[in-house]
Amino acid sequence: MNNPKEVLLGFFEEMHNWEVESSKLADEKGIGNIKSEVRDALLNIYNKFLLKPGGKNGRLAGPSVGYPPEYDEKNESIINIDNSNPKKIVIETLWVHPAISDFSKKQKYTLQQKDGDWKISKKEIFRAASEKWENRVF
């Protein structure tokens, strides 16, 4: 996948599927019984799409699953692509809560090339109160 937009959309799709399946498994078997299985699946997604796959403060620490899914192409639309730097593409999105339509958040994903492939290096969320972008941990 050499197109940054396709990489991001692929990440959304795989993360959404992981969230939905992991949540279903957690409900059926209990998170304690599937922790290692869902963590391994999440790590595979991170290794495929992220420049640096997670950390001890991110979702891998739990791993955490819940509702609503954080990633869903149907609820997160691309509103801007900044490709002014050919080595670093920034894609801005708007996520809208699936059940509360007036709850939304602006997010930015930075993608960089590594060994000829685009990888996601950073996620940020816009905080309206401070009017600043803040880093998010994957």
Side-chain angles (χ1 to χ4, degrees):
M1 285 186 263
N2 270 339
N3 179 318
K5 180 180 173 183
E6 289 175 12
V7 169
L8 185 61
L9 295 177
F11 178 68
F12 287 173
E13 180 180 0
E14 290 198 29
M15 283 299 296
H16 179 75
N17 291 340
W18 177 86
E19 288 176 306
V20 170
E21 288 301 315
S22 297
S23 182
K24 190 184 324 177
L25 281 172
D27 288 346
E28 291 170 2
K29 299 178 180 180
I31 191 68
N33 296 320
I34 61 159
K35 186 175 183 176
S36 139
E37 175 185 347
V38 297
R39 186 182 187 286
D40 289 347
L42 180 60
L43 189 56
N44 287 335
I45 295 169
Y46 280 9
N47 285 329
K48 181 176 179 180
F49 290 99
L50 302 183
L51 199 58
K52 295 178 190 169
K56 60 184 174 183
N57 296 325
R59 187 179 287 228
L60 278 174
S64 62
V65 297
Y67 177 84
E70 183 178 349
Y71 298 95
D72 190 342
E73 187 181 346
K74 289 181 232 131
N75 299 325
E76 190 163 2
S77 56
I78 293 173
I79 56 176
N80 187 48
I81 298 176
D82 177 358
N83 56 6
S84 58
N85 180 344
K87 295 182 180 187
K88 182 167 54 172
I89 304 295
V90 179
I91 300 176
E92 188 175 338
T93 66
L94 181 67
W95 182 85
V96 179
H97 194 287
I100 308 168
S101 60
D102 62 345
F103 177 70
S104 63
K105 56 185 174 181
K106 281 186 176 181
Q107 303 185 124
K108 285 196 296 192
Y109 298 86
T110 301
L111 291 89
Q112 295 176 272
Q113 279 194 324
K114 180 181 181 186
D115 301 326
D117 291 323
W118 288 99
K119 299 274 189 170
I120 303 165
S121 62
K122 182 166 66 169
K123 178 180 179 179
E124 298 168 277
I125 185 169
F126 185 76
R127 298 284 182 204
S130 64
E131 296 186 358
K132 293 183 181 179
W133 289 97
E134 296 179 4
N135 287 340
R136 295 290 306 257
V137 178
F138 285 100

